[in-house]
Amino acid sequence: MASYLEEYGEREARRERLIRSLFRLSGVLLMAAVAVAAFYRFYLRDYREKRQLETFYELLRNQDYPAAYRLWGCSVEKPCPQYGYEKFLEDWGPQSPHGDIAAARVTDMRSCEDGVIQTLRLGPNDEVWLWVDRSSRTIGYAPWPVCRPRVPIARPAP
């Protein structure tokens, strides 16, 4: 039979080791969660938008202009009011200044809150800013080369 003092403090030592192990495990799990969040933020956030633009360029290379026009949220049967199919062909068709999409290269990509702006260099003095909307993944021309400028909020005079 063990004496009373032989096991003195053993239960507290086991409890202390368990608590240390749980702290280590929670630290490892926290670091893993931060790593996953950083990976998503910097590598996967714009994945769908980049794929949409790559699909657009591939359709232009294959000269499938109706399908490329559909990525703008329009169709040949139901063209967009401000950007008809004829205007699209003037901009991206075989006789357009942007007709040689194989020679184009992406020079910049900006991730904005509502979408992505990609700068496409088509020649020495020819750049196009394309916008991909995050919610609908439609493509269009970006009105600015950077993300939408913040408009200061007008405050009423005191």
Side-chain angles (χ1 to χ4, degrees):
M1 180 158 137
S3 72
Y4 173 71
L5 293 176
E6 281 182 17
E7 294 181 16
Y8 181 74
E10 191 173 316
R11 181 180 291 166
E12 288 80 13
R14 268 188 276 152
R15 183 175 178 207
E16 189 177 316
R17 283 193 303 268
L18 177 66
I19 290 172
R20 276 192 206 138
S21 296
L22 289 176
F23 274 132
R24 285 185 193 128
L25 179 63
S26 65
V28 168
L29 290 176
L30 179 66
M31 288 174 46
V34 168
V36 167
F39 181 74
Y40 173 77
R41 171 71 173 107
F42 294 109
Y43 294 105
L44 296 179
R45 181 175 184 207
D46 302 328
Y47 178 77
R48 295 185 318 161
E49 291 79 12
K50 288 178 189 176
R51 287 290 306 143
Q52 191 76 344
L53 286 166
E54 289 171 12
T55 302
F56 176 68
Y57 302 145
E58 187 63 32
L59 290 171
L60 291 177
R61 275 188 222 99
N62 295 335
Q63 296 185 352
D64 189 358
Y65 300 114
Y69 187 57
R70 277 193 295 277
L71 293 180
W72 287 66
C74 312
S75 68
V76 177
E77 298 80 27
K78 188 177 177 189
C80 291
Q82 286 83 21
Y83 195 57
Y85 184 65
E86 295 78 26
K87 179 64 176 155
F88 177 81
L89 287 178
E90 285 177 27
D91 291 343
W92 298 101
Q95 273 66 37
S96 75
H98 308 142
D100 186 19
I101 197 71
R105 63 185 181 94
V106 176
T107 58
D108 190 22
M109 183 106 172
R110 302 222 179 207
S111 180
C112 304
E113 185 177 329
D114 300 331
V116 171
I117 297 174
Q118 190 175 75
T119 305
L120 186 68
R121 183 174 293 272
L122 297 154
N125 297 324
D126 190 13
E127 279 188 348
V128 176
W129 305 311
L130 293 175
W131 167 262
V132 181
D133 185 42
R134 277 194 204 286
S135 60
S136 64
R137 283 191 282 157
T138 56
I139 299 173
Y141 290 112
W144 309 285
V146 294
C147 294
R148 182 178 61 201
R150 297 191 190 276
V151 178
I153 299 172
R155 307 227 165 144

